[in-house]
PDB file of all heavy atoms in Angstrom:
ATOM      1  N   ALA A   8     -28.120   1.138-196.188  1.00 97.00           N
ATOM      2  CA  ALA A   8     -29.083   0.151-195.706  1.00 97.00           C
ATOM      3  C   ALA A   8     -28.613  -1.284-195.870  1.00 97.00           C
ATOM      4  O   ALA A   8     -29.257  -2.205-195.351  1.00 97.00           O
ATOM      5  CB  ALA A   8     -30.421   0.327-196.442  1.00 97.00           C
ATOM      6  N   ASN A   9     -27.517  -1.497-196.572  1.00 97.00           N
ATOM      7  CA  ASN A   9     -27.011  -2.838-196.852  1.00 97.00           C
ATOM      8  C   ASN A   9     -25.706  -3.028-196.074  1.00 97.00           C
ATOM      9  O   ASN A   9     -24.774  -2.231-196.204  1.00 97.00           O
ATOM     10  CB  ASN A   9     -26.770  -2.983-198.357  1.00 97.00           C
ATOM     11  CG  ASN A   9     -26.264  -4.351-198.742  1.00 97.00           C
ATOM     12  OD1 ASN A   9     -25.122  -4.685-198.467  1.00 97.00           O
ATOM     13  ND2 ASN A   9     -27.101  -5.137-199.403  1.00 97.00           N
ATOM     14  N   ALA A  10     -25.632  -4.068-195.269  1.00 98.00           N
ATOM     15  CA  ALA A  10     -24.494  -4.251-194.367  1.00 98.00           C
ATOM     16  C   ALA A  10     -23.171  -4.342-195.123  1.00 98.00           C
ATOM     17  O   ALA A  10     -22.168  -3.725-194.724  1.00 98.00           O
ATOM     18  CB  ALA A  10     -24.700  -5.504-193.518  1.00 98.00           C
ATOM     19  N   GLU A  11     -23.139  -5.105-196.209  1.00 97.00           N
ATOM     20  CA  GLU A  11     -21.882  -5.272-196.947  1.00 97.00           C
ATOM     21  C   GLU A  11     -21.449  -3.959-197.601  1.00 97.00           C
ATOM     22  O   GLU A  11     -20.271  -3.580-197.543  1.00 97.00           O
ATOM     23  CB  GLU A  11     -22.036  -6.353-198.019  1.00 97.00           C
ATOM     24  CG  GLU A  11     -20.757  -6.618-198.803  1.00 97.00           C
ATOM     25  CD  GLU A  11     -20.917  -7.710-199.837  1.00 97.00           C
ATOM     26  OE1 GLU A  11     -21.806  -8.579-199.665  1.00 97.00           O
ATOM     27  OE2 GLU A  11     -20.142  -7.711-200.829  1.00 97.00           O
ATOM     28  N   LEU A  12     -22.388  -3.257-198.214  1.00 97.00           N
ATOM     29  CA  LEU A  12     -22.040  -1.988-198.855  1.00 97.00           C
ATOM     30  C   LEU A  12     -21.663  -0.940-197.819  1.00 97.00           C
ATOM     31  O   LEU A  12     -20.745  -0.132-198.041  1.00 97.00           O
ATOM     32  CB  LEU A  12     -23.219  -1.492-199.693  1.00 97.00           C
ATOM     33  CG  LEU A  12     -23.603  -2.356-200.887  1.00 97.00           C
ATOM     34  CD1 LEU A  12     -24.835  -1.791-201.571  1.00 97.00           C
ATOM     35  CD2 LEU A  12     -22.443  -2.460-201.885  1.00 97.00           C
ATOM     36  N   HIS A  13     -22.347  -0.930-196.697  1.00 98.00           N
ATOM     37  CA  HIS A  13     -22.024  -0.002-195.613  1.00 98.00           C
ATOM     38  C   HIS A  13     -20.606  -0.246-195.109  1.00 98.00           C
ATOM     39  O   HIS A  13     -19.818   0.693-194.923  1.00 98.00           O
ATOM     40  CB  HIS A  13     -23.044  -0.172-194.483  1.00 98.00           C
ATOM     41  CG  HIS A  13     -22.755   0.636-193.258  1.00 98.00           C
ATOM     42  ND1 HIS A  13     -21.908   0.209-192.258  1.00 98.00           N
ATOM     43  CD2 HIS A  13     -23.207   1.870-192.870  1.00 98.00           C
ATOM     44  CE1 HIS A  13     -21.849   1.117-191.306  1.00 98.00           C
ATOM     45  NE2 HIS A  13     -22.620   2.130-191.650  1.00 98.00           N
ATOM     46  N   ARG A  14     -20.270  -1.505-194.897  1.00 97.00           N
ATOM     47  CA  ARG A  14     -18.936  -1.842-194.401  1.00 97.00           C
ATOM     48  C   ARG A  14     -17.868  -1.411-195.391  1.00 97.00           C
ATOM     49  O   ARG A  14     -16.831  -0.831-195.011  1.00 97.00           O
ATOM     50  CB  ARG A  14     -18.840  -3.348-194.141  1.00 97.00           C
ATOM     51  CG  ARG A  14     -17.495  -3.803-193.600  1.00 97.00           C
ATOM     52  CD  ARG A  14     -17.543  -5.254-193.168  1.00 97.00           C
ATOM     53  NE  ARG A  14     -17.948  -6.158-194.233  1.00 97.00           N
ATOM     54  CZ  ARG A  14     -19.134  -6.756-194.300  1.00 97.00           C
ATOM     55  NH1 ARG A  14     -20.035  -6.539-193.368  1.00 97.00           N
ATOM     56  NH2 ARG A  14     -19.416  -7.563-195.298  1.00 97.00           N
ATOM     57  N   ALA A  15     -18.095  -1.655-196.675  1.00 96.00           N
ATOM     58  CA  ALA A  15     -17.106  -1.280-197.694  1.00 96.00           C
ATOM     59  C   ALA A  15     -16.944   0.230-197.773  1.00 96.00           C
ATOM     60  O   ALA A  15     -15.822   0.730-197.930  1.00 96.00           O
ATOM     61  CB  ALA A  15     -17.537  -1.841-199.051  1.00 96.00           C
ATOM     62  N   MET A  16     -18.045   0.968-197.677  1.00 96.00           N
ATOM     63  CA  MET A  16     -17.968   2.429-197.765  1.00 96.00           C
ATOM     64  C   MET A  16     -17.176   3.020-196.602  1.00 96.00           C
ATOM     65  O   MET A  16     -16.243   3.809-196.800  1.00 96.00           O
ATOM     66  CB  MET A  16     -19.376   3.018-197.804  1.00 96.00           C
ATOM     67  CG  MET A  16     -19.407   4.540-197.746  1.00 96.00           C
ATOM     68  SD  MET A  16     -21.052   5.244-198.003  1.00 96.00           S
ATOM     69  CE  MET A  16     -21.978   4.514-196.650  1.00 96.00           C
ATOM     70  N   PHE A  17     -17.507   2.648-195.398  1.00 97.00           N
ATOM     71  CA  PHE A  17     -16.869   3.275-194.244  1.00 97.00           C
ATOM     72  C   PHE A  17     -15.471   2.722-193.986  1.00 97.00           C
ATOM     73  O   PHE A  17     -14.662   3.385-193.333  1.00 97.00           O
ATOM     74  CB  PHE A  17     -17.761   3.148-193.014  1.00 97.00           C
ATOM     75  CG  PHE A  17     -18.875   4.155-193.002  1.00 97.00           C
ATOM     76  CD1 PHE A  17     -20.136   3.816-193.466  1.00 97.00           C
ATOM     77  CD2 PHE A  17     -18.647   5.448-192.567  1.00 97.00           C
ATOM     78  CE1 PHE A  17     -21.163   4.755-193.487  1.00 97.00           C
ATOM     79  CE2 PHE A  17     -19.666   6.392-192.574  1.00 97.00           C
ATOM     80  CZ  PHE A  17     -20.925   6.051-193.040  1.00 97.00           C
ATOM     81  N   ALA A  18     -15.171   1.535-194.503  1.00 96.00           N
ATOM     82  CA  ALA A  18     -13.811   1.017-194.370  1.00 96.00           C
ATOM     83  C   ALA A  18     -12.809   1.882-195.124  1.00 96.00           C
ATOM     84  O   ALA A  18     -11.614   1.892-194.791  1.00 96.00           O
ATOM     85  CB  ALA A  18     -13.749  -0.425-194.877  1.00 96.00           C
ATOM     86  N   GLY A  19     -13.280   2.605-196.137  1.00 95.00           N
ATOM     87  CA  GLY A  19     -12.379   3.442-196.924  1.00 95.00           C
ATOM     88  C   GLY A  19     -12.152   4.820-196.357  1.00 95.00           C
ATOM     89  O   GLY A  19     -11.333   5.583-196.886  1.00 95.00           O
ATOM     90  N   ILE A  20     -12.865   5.182-195.283  1.00 97.00           N
ATOM     91  CA  ILE A  20     -12.753   6.535-194.713  1.00 97.00           C
ATOM     92  C   ILE A  20     -11.788   6.511-193.533  1.00 97.00           C
ATOM     93  O   ILE A  20     -11.928   5.709-192.608  1.00 97.00           O
ATOM     94  CB  ILE A  20     -14.141   7.050-194.274  1.00 97.00           C
ATOM     95  CG1 ILE A  20     -15.086   7.087-195.472  1.00 97.00           C
ATOM     96  CG2 ILE A  20     -14.017   8.448-193.655  1.00 97.00           C
ATOM     97  CD1 ILE A  20     -16.509   7.469-195.122  1.00 97.00           C
ATOM     98  N   ARG A  21     -10.827   7.413-193.555  1.00 97.00           N
ATOM     99  CA  ARG A  21      -9.761   7.446-192.552  1.00 97.00           C
ATOM    100  C   ARG A  21     -10.150   8.351-191.372  1.00 97.00           C
ATOM    101  O   ARG A  21      -9.596   9.439-191.205  1.00 97.00           O
ATOM    102  CB  ARG A  21      -8.473   7.919-193.194  1.00 97.00           C
ATOM    103  CG  ARG A  21      -7.886   6.967-194.236  1.00 97.00           C
ATOM    104  CD  ARG A  21      -7.238   5.772-193.555  1.00 97.00           C
ATOM    105  NE  ARG A  21      -6.268   6.187-192.553  1.00 97.00           N
ATOM    106  CZ  ARG A  21      -5.016   6.553-192.843  1.00 97.00           C
ATOM    107  NH1 ARG A  21      -4.591   6.532-194.100  1.00 97.00           N
ATOM    108  NH2 ARG A  21      -4.191   6.911-191.883  1.00 97.00           N
ATOM    109  N   PHE A  22     -11.068   7.901-190.552  1.00 97.00           N
ATOM    110  CA  PHE A  22     -11.462   8.690-189.388  1.00 97.00           C
ATOM    111  C   PHE A  22     -10.283   8.908-188.435  1.00 97.00           C
ATOM    112  O   PHE A  22     -10.286   9.856-187.647  1.00 97.00           O
ATOM    113  CB  PHE A  22     -12.609   8.021-188.649  1.00 97.00           C
ATOM    114  CG  PHE A  22     -13.930   8.110-189.363  1.00 97.00           C
ATOM    115  CD1 PHE A  22     -14.450   7.020-190.046  1.00 97.00           C
ATOM    116  CD2 PHE A  22     -14.642   9.299-189.368  1.00 97.00           C
ATOM    117  CE1 PHE A  22     -15.666   7.101-190.702  1.00 97.00           C
ATOM    118  CE2 PHE A  22     -15.864   9.391-190.033  1.00 97.00           C
ATOM    119  CZ  PHE A  22     -16.372   8.295-190.700  1.00 97.00           C
ATOM    120  N   ASP A  23      -9.267   8.051-188.522  1.00 97.00           N
ATOM    121  CA  ASP A  23      -8.135   8.169-187.605  1.00 97.00           C
ATOM    122  C   ASP A  23      -7.311   9.433-187.827  1.00 97.00           C
ATOM    123  O   ASP A  23      -6.585   9.865-186.919  1.00 97.00           O
ATOM    124  CB  ASP A  23      -7.217   6.946-187.744  1.00 97.00           C
ATOM    125  CG  ASP A  23      -6.671   6.783-189.152  1.00 97.00           C
ATOM    126  OD1 ASP A  23      -7.495   6.592-190.083  1.00 97.00           O
ATOM    127  OD2 ASP A  23      -5.447   6.856-189.340  1.00 97.00           O
ATOM    128  N   VAL A  24      -7.415  10.068-189.003  1.00 97.00           N
ATOM    129  CA  VAL A  24      -6.624  11.281-189.252  1.00 97.00           C
ATOM    130  C   VAL A  24      -7.364  12.539-188.827  1.00 97.00           C
ATOM    131  O   VAL A  24      -6.818  13.646-188.910  1.00 97.00           O
ATOM    132  CB  VAL A  24      -6.204  11.394-190.738  1.00 97.00           C
ATOM    133  CG1 VAL A  24      -5.440  10.164-191.176  1.00 97.00           C
ATOM    134  CG2 VAL A  24      -7.407  11.649-191.649  1.00 97.00           C
ATOM    135  N   GLY A  25      -8.613  12.410-188.382  1.00 96.00           N
ATOM    136  CA  GLY A  25      -9.366  13.571-187.934  1.00 96.00           C
ATOM    137  C   GLY A  25      -9.957  14.360-189.098  1.00 96.00           C
ATOM    138  O   GLY A  25      -9.929  13.930-190.251  1.00 96.00           O
ATOM    139  N   TRP A  26     -10.478  15.556-188.758  1.00 96.00           N
ATOM    140  CA  TRP A  26     -11.205  16.378-189.722  1.00 96.00           C
ATOM    141  C   TRP A  26     -10.389  17.552-190.234  1.00 96.00           C
ATOM    142  O   TRP A  26     -10.949  18.476-190.833  1.00 96.00           O
ATOM    143  CB  TRP A  26     -12.503  16.887-189.087  1.00 96.00           C
ATOM    144  CG  TRP A  26     -13.517  15.800-188.912  1.00 96.00           C
ATOM    145  CD1 TRP A  26     -13.676  15.003-187.832  1.00 96.00           C
ATOM    146  CD2 TRP A  26     -14.496  15.383-189.868  1.00 96.00           C
ATOM    147  NE1 TRP A  26     -14.698  14.104-188.040  1.00 96.00           N
ATOM    148  CE2 TRP A  26     -15.232  14.326-189.277  1.00 96.00           C
ATOM    149  CE3 TRP A  26     -14.844  15.807-191.153  1.00 96.00           C
ATOM    150  CZ2 TRP A  26     -16.281  13.680-189.934  1.00 96.00           C
ATOM    151  CZ3 TRP A  26     -15.892  15.171-191.802  1.00 96.00           C
ATOM    152  CH2 TRP A  26     -16.597  14.121-191.203  1.00 96.00           C
ATOM    153  N   ARG A  27      -9.091  17.523-190.049  1.00 95.00           N
ATOM    154  CA  ARG A  27      -8.265  18.646-190.505  1.00 95.00           C
ATOM    155  C   ARG A  27      -7.142  18.224-191.443  1.00 95.00           C
ATOM    156  O   ARG A  27      -6.613  19.040-192.183  1.00 95.00           O
ATOM    157  CB  ARG A  27      -7.642  19.378-189.304  1.00 95.00           C
ATOM    158  CG  ARG A  27      -8.663  20.075-188.420  1.00 95.00           C
ATOM    159  CD  ARG A  27      -7.977  20.805-187.272  1.00 95.00           C
ATOM    160  NE  ARG A  27      -8.950  21.473-186.414  1.00 95.00           N
ATOM    161  CZ  ARG A  27      -9.422  22.692-186.627  1.00 95.00           C
ATOM    162  NH1 ARG A  27      -8.991  23.382-187.687  1.00 95.00           N
ATOM    163  NH2 ARG A  27     -10.295  23.234-185.801  1.00 95.00           N
ATOM    164  N   ARG A  28      -6.785  16.949-191.401  1.00 96.00           N
ATOM    165  CA  ARG A  28      -5.617  16.496-192.160  1.00 96.00           C
ATOM    166  C   ARG A  28      -6.022  15.664-193.369  1.00 96.00           C
ATOM    167  O   ARG A  28      -7.135  15.138-193.440  1.00 96.00           O
ATOM    168  CB  ARG A  28      -4.693  15.679-191.255  1.00 96.00           C
ATOM    169  CG  ARG A  28      -4.014  16.483-190.153  1.00 96.00           C
ATOM    170  CD  ARG A  28      -3.005  15.620-189.427  1.00 96.00           C
ATOM    171  NE  ARG A  28      -3.663  14.527-188.705  1.00 96.00           N
ATOM    172  CZ  ARG A  28      -3.112  13.333-188.485  1.00 96.00           C
ATOM    173  NH1 ARG A  28      -1.921  13.049-188.970  1.00 96.00           N
ATOM    174  NH2 ARG A  28      -3.770  12.409-187.800  1.00 96.00           N
ATOM    175  N   SER A  29      -5.068  15.509-194.291  1.00 97.00           N
ATOM    176  CA  SER A  29      -5.261  14.640-195.431  1.00 97.00           C
ATOM    177  C   SER A  29      -4.677  13.270-195.122  1.00 97.00           C
ATOM    178  O   SER A  29      -4.207  13.012-194.010  1.00 97.00           O
ATOM    179  CB  SER A  29      -4.601  15.245-196.681  1.00 97.00           C
ATOM    180  OG  SER A  29      -4.901  14.462-197.823  1.00 97.00           O
ATOM    181  N   ALA A  30      -4.709  12.378-196.096  1.00 96.00           N
ATOM    182  CA  ALA A  30      -4.146  11.040-195.943  1.00 96.00           C
ATOM    183  C   ALA A  30      -3.645  10.577-197.298  1.00 96.00           C
ATOM    184  O   ALA A  30      -4.248  10.879-198.327  1.00 96.00           O
ATOM    185  CB  ALA A  30      -5.190  10.066-195.403  1.00 96.00           C
ATOM    186  N   GLU A  31      -2.538   9.856-197.304  1.00 95.00           N
ATOM    187  CA  GLU A  31      -1.974   9.371-198.561  1.00 95.00           C
ATOM    188  C   GLU A  31      -2.809   8.248-199.153  1.00 95.00           C
ATOM    189  O   GLU A  31      -2.850   8.081-200.378  1.00 95.00           O
ATOM    190  CB  GLU A  31      -0.531   8.899-198.345  1.00 95.00           C
ATOM    191  CG  GLU A  31       0.445  10.026-198.063  1.00 95.00           C
ATOM    192  CD  GLU A  31       1.878   9.542-197.982  1.00 95.00           C
ATOM    193  OE1 GLU A  31       2.085   8.304-197.944  1.00 95.00           O
ATOM    194  OE2 GLU A  31       2.785  10.386-197.957  1.00 95.00           O
ATOM    195  N   GLU A  32      -3.431   7.465-198.317  1.00 95.00           N
ATOM    196  CA  GLU A  32      -4.322   6.400-198.774  1.00 95.00           C
ATOM    197  C   GLU A  32      -5.610   6.446-197.975  1.00 95.00           C
ATOM    198  O   GLU A  32      -5.621   6.847-196.814  1.00 95.00           O
ATOM    199  CB  GLU A  32      -3.650   5.026-198.636  1.00 95.00           C
ATOM    200  CG  GLU A  32      -2.600   4.747-199.689  1.00 95.00           C
ATOM    201  CD  GLU A  32      -2.223   3.280-199.720  1.00 95.00           C
ATOM    202  OE1 GLU A  32      -1.869   2.749-198.652  1.00 95.00           O
ATOM    203  OE2 GLU A  32      -2.285   2.669-200.804  1.00 95.00           O
ATOM    204  N   GLY A  33      -6.708   6.024-198.610  1.00 96.00           N
ATOM    205  CA  GLY A  33      -7.999   6.140-197.978  1.00 96.00           C
ATOM    206  C   GLY A  33      -8.523   7.565-198.084  1.00 96.00           C
ATOM    207  O   GLY A  33      -7.808   8.483-198.515  1.00 96.00           O
ATOM    208  N   LEU A  34      -9.771   7.752-197.715  1.00 97.00           N
ATOM    209  CA  LEU A  34     -10.415   9.058-197.844  1.00 97.00           C
ATOM    210  C   LEU A  34     -10.380   9.802-196.517  1.00 97.00           C
ATOM    211  O   LEU A  34     -10.997   9.359-195.532  1.00 97.00           O
ATOM    212  CB  LEU A  34     -11.868   8.880-198.288  1.00 97.00           C
ATOM    213  CG  LEU A  34     -12.071   8.290-199.682  1.00 97.00           C
ATOM    214  CD1 LEU A  34     -13.535   7.972-199.911  1.00 97.00           C
ATOM    215  CD2 LEU A  34     -11.558   9.249-200.740  1.00 97.00           C
ATOM    216  N   PRO A  35      -9.675  10.932-196.444  1.00 97.00           N
ATOM    217  CA  PRO A  35      -9.708  11.724-195.217  1.00 97.00           C
ATOM    218  C   PRO A  35     -11.091  12.344-195.038  1.00 97.00           C
ATOM    219  O   PRO A  35     -11.661  12.870-196.001  1.00 97.00           O
ATOM    220  CB  PRO A  35      -8.633  12.787-195.454  1.00 97.00           C
ATOM    221  CG  PRO A  35      -8.536  12.918-196.938  1.00 97.00           C
ATOM    222  CD  PRO A  35      -8.829  11.549-197.490  1.00 97.00           C
ATOM    223  N   PRO A  36     -11.669  12.303-193.842  1.00 97.00           N
ATOM    224  CA  PRO A  36     -13.008  12.859-193.655  1.00 97.00           C
ATOM    225  C   PRO A  36     -13.133  14.314-194.090  1.00 97.00           C
ATOM    226  O   PRO A  36     -14.186  14.724-194.594  1.00 97.00           O
ATOM    227  CB  PRO A  36     -13.231  12.709-192.141  1.00 97.00           C
ATOM    228  CG  PRO A  36     -12.346  11.589-191.728  1.00 97.00           C
ATOM    229  CD  PRO A  36     -11.146  11.684-192.615  1.00 97.00           C
ATOM    230  N   ALA A  37     -12.058  15.091-193.933  1.00 96.00           N
ATOM    231  CA  ALA A  37     -12.112  16.513-194.277  1.00 96.00           C
ATOM    232  C   ALA A  37     -12.326  16.741-195.764  1.00 96.00           C
ATOM    233  O   ALA A  37     -12.706  17.841-196.170  1.00 96.00           O
ATOM    234  CB  ALA A  37     -10.827  17.205-193.822  1.00 96.00           C
ATOM    235  N   ALA A  38     -12.081  15.725-196.601  1.00 96.00           N
ATOM    236  CA  ALA A  38     -12.264  15.877-198.045  1.00 96.00           C
ATOM    237  C   ALA A  38     -13.672  15.501-198.496  1.00 96.00           C
ATOM    238  O   ALA A  38     -13.974  15.586-199.689  1.00 96.00           O
ATOM    239  CB  ALA A  38     -11.243  15.014-198.788  1.00 96.00           C
ATOM    240  N   LEU A  39     -14.541  15.113-197.560  1.00 96.00           N
ATOM    241  CA  LEU A  39     -15.857  14.600-197.930  1.00 96.00           C
ATOM    242  C   LEU A  39     -16.924  15.682-198.053  1.00 96.00           C
ATOM    243  O   LEU A  39     -18.065  15.385-198.426  1.00 96.00           O
ATOM    244  CB  LEU A  39     -16.317  13.548-196.913  1.00 96.00           C
ATOM    245  CG  LEU A  39     -15.421  12.310-196.790  1.00 96.00           C
ATOM    246  CD1 LEU A  39     -15.963  11.356-195.746  1.00 96.00           C
ATOM    247  CD2 LEU A  39     -15.261  11.611-198.134  1.00 96.00           C
ATOM    248  N   GLY A  40     -16.581  16.912-197.720  1.00 94.00           N
ATOM    249  CA  GLY A  40     -17.533  18.004-197.879  1.00 94.00           C
ATOM    250  C   GLY A  40     -18.659  17.989-196.866  1.00 94.00           C
ATOM    251  O   GLY A  40     -19.723  18.556-197.118  1.00 94.00           O
ATOM    252  N   ILE A  41     -18.445  17.372-195.702  1.00 95.00           N
ATOM    253  CA  ILE A  41     -19.469  17.326-194.652  1.00 95.00           C
ATOM    254  C   ILE A  41     -19.446  18.652-193.876  1.00 95.00           C
ATOM    255  O   ILE A  41     -18.388  19.099-193.444  1.00 95.00           O
ATOM    256  CB  ILE A  41     -19.233  16.152-193.682  1.00 95.00           C
ATOM    257  CG1 ILE A  41     -19.077  14.834-194.465  1.00 95.00           C
ATOM    258  CG2 ILE A  41     -20.355  16.065-192.664  1.00 95.00           C
ATOM    259  CD1 ILE A  41     -20.291  14.418-195.220  1.00 95.00           C
ATOM    260  N   GLU A  42     -20.610  19.268-193.694  1.00 93.00           N
ATOM    261  CA  GLU A  42     -20.680  20.525-192.963  1.00 93.00           C
ATOM    262  C   GLU A  42     -20.218  20.312-191.519  1.00 93.00           C
ATOM    263  O   GLU A  42     -20.461  19.262-190.921  1.00 93.00           O
ATOM    264  CB  GLU A  42     -22.114  21.066-192.964  1.00 93.00           C
ATOM    265  CG  GLU A  42     -22.652  21.400-194.342  1.00 93.00           C
ATOM    266  CD  GLU A  42     -23.251  20.176-195.041  1.00 93.00           C
ATOM    267  OE1 GLU A  42     -23.086  19.053-194.527  1.00 93.00           O
ATOM    268  OE2 GLU A  42     -23.859  20.359-196.103  1.00 93.00           O
ATOM    269  N   PRO A  43     -19.537  21.318-190.923  1.00 94.00           N
ATOM    270  CA  PRO A  43     -19.018  21.148-189.549  1.00 94.00           C
ATOM    271  C   PRO A  43     -20.063  20.659-188.555  1.00 94.00           C
ATOM    272  O   PRO A  43     -19.779  19.800-187.719  1.00 94.00           O
ATOM    273  CB  PRO A  43     -18.511  22.553-189.203  1.00 94.00           C
ATOM    274  CG  PRO A  43     -18.112  23.135-190.520  1.00 94.00           C
ATOM    275  CD  PRO A  43     -19.122  22.608-191.511  1.00 94.00           C
ATOM    276  N   GLY A  44     -21.280  21.168-188.640  1.00 94.00           N
ATOM    277  CA  GLY A  44     -22.299  20.766-187.678  1.00 94.00           C
ATOM    278  C   GLY A  44     -22.801  19.350-187.849  1.00 94.00           C
ATOM    279  O   GLY A  44     -23.488  18.819-186.969  1.00 94.00           O
ATOM    280  N   MET A  45     -22.469  18.716-188.982  1.00 95.00           N
ATOM    281  CA  MET A  45     -22.952  17.370-189.279  1.00 95.00           C
ATOM    282  C   MET A  45     -21.857  16.315-189.138  1.00 95.00           C
ATOM    283  O   MET A  45     -22.124  15.128-189.323  1.00 95.00           O
ATOM    284  CB  MET A  45     -23.521  17.326-190.701  1.00 95.00           C
ATOM    285  CG  MET A  45     -24.722  18.237-190.923  1.00 95.00           C
ATOM    286  SD  MET A  45     -26.112  17.765-189.863  1.00 95.00           S
ATOM    287  CE  MET A  45     -26.475  16.128-190.495  1.00 95.00           C
ATOM    288  N   ARG A  46     -20.659  16.740-188.807  1.00 96.00           N
ATOM    289  CA  ARG A  46     -19.538  15.790-188.803  1.00 96.00           C
ATOM    290  C   ARG A  46     -19.672  14.730-187.716  1.00 96.00           C
ATOM    291  O   ARG A  46     -19.365  13.552-187.930  1.00 96.00           O
ATOM    292  CB  ARG A  46     -18.218  16.547-188.671  1.00 96.00           C
ATOM    293  CG  ARG A  46     -17.889  17.343-189.918  1.00 96.00           C
ATOM    294  CD  ARG A  46     -16.656  18.216-189.748  1.00 96.00           C
ATOM    295  NE  ARG A  46     -16.383  18.953-190.985  1.00 96.00           N
ATOM    296  CZ  ARG A  46     -15.426  19.860-191.118  1.00 96.00           C
ATOM    297  NH1 ARG A  46     -14.642  20.145-190.064  1.00 96.00           N
ATOM    298  NH2 ARG A  46     -15.239  20.484-192.261  1.00 96.00           N
ATOM    299  N   GLY A  47     -20.134  15.137-186.534  1.00 96.00           N
ATOM    300  CA  GLY A  47     -20.312  14.159-185.460  1.00 96.00           C
ATOM    301  C   GLY A  47     -21.342  13.108-185.829  1.00 96.00           C
ATOM    302  O   GLY A  47     -21.126  11.908-185.616  1.00 96.00           O
ATOM    303  N   ALA A  48     -22.452  13.548-186.423  1.00 96.00           N
ATOM    304  CA  ALA A  48     -23.493  12.604-186.817  1.00 96.00           C
ATOM    305  C   ALA A  48     -23.000  11.668-187.909  1.00 96.00           C
ATOM    306  O   ALA A  48     -23.294  10.460-187.886  1.00 96.00           O
ATOM    307  CB  ALA A  48     -24.733  13.371-187.287  1.00 96.00           C
ATOM    308  N   PHE A  49     -22.235  12.218-188.850  1.00 97.00           N
ATOM    309  CA  PHE A  49     -21.711  11.374-189.917  1.00 97.00           C
ATOM    310  C   PHE A  49     -20.751  10.331-189.349  1.00 97.00           C
ATOM    311  O   PHE A  49     -20.765   9.168-189.767  1.00 97.00           O
ATOM    312  CB  PHE A  49     -21.015  12.221-190.974  1.00 97.00           C
ATOM    313  CG  PHE A  49     -20.445  11.424-192.111  1.00 97.00           C
ATOM    314  CD1 PHE A  49     -21.269  10.952-193.122  1.00 97.00           C
ATOM    315  CD2 PHE A  49     -19.094  11.115-192.158  1.00 97.00           C
ATOM    316  CE1 PHE A  49     -20.753  10.191-194.166  1.00 97.00           C
ATOM    317  CE2 PHE A  49     -18.569  10.366-193.201  1.00 97.00           C
ATOM    318  CZ  PHE A  49     -19.404   9.905-194.202  1.00 97.00           C
ATOM    319  N   SER A  50     -19.923  10.739-188.397  1.00 97.00           N
ATOM    320  CA  SER A  50     -18.993   9.783-187.790  1.00 97.00           C
ATOM    321  C   SER A  50     -19.734   8.628-187.137  1.00 97.00           C
ATOM    322  O   SER A  50     -19.291   7.476-187.174  1.00 97.00           O
ATOM    323  CB  SER A  50     -18.114  10.491-186.757  1.00 97.00           C
ATOM    324  OG  SER A  50     -17.296  11.467-187.363  1.00 97.00           O
TER     325      SER A  50
END
């Protein structure tokens, strides 16, 4: 609900690597434990 906190949270997620791969830096989405049916909504 807070613009600054929202920006900081999602800036750390590596949506560019997709939902199957890992990443050396940043958080790969596949490591976030999001159920397959909810991944589009989370994105």
Side-chain angles (χ1 to χ4, degrees):
N9 181 288
E11 182 179 335
L12 295 177
H13 175 275
R14 181 171 57 253
M16 174 173 60
F17 281 96
I20 301 175
R21 294 285 306 279
F22 287 103
D23 59 298
V24 304
W26 288 90
R27 294 181 180 273
R28 292 187 294 149
S29 186
E31 290 185 349
E32 285 194 307
L34 295 171
L39 299 179
I41 308 296
E42 297 85 351
M45 298 298 296
R46 290 174 180 175
F49 180 78
S50 296

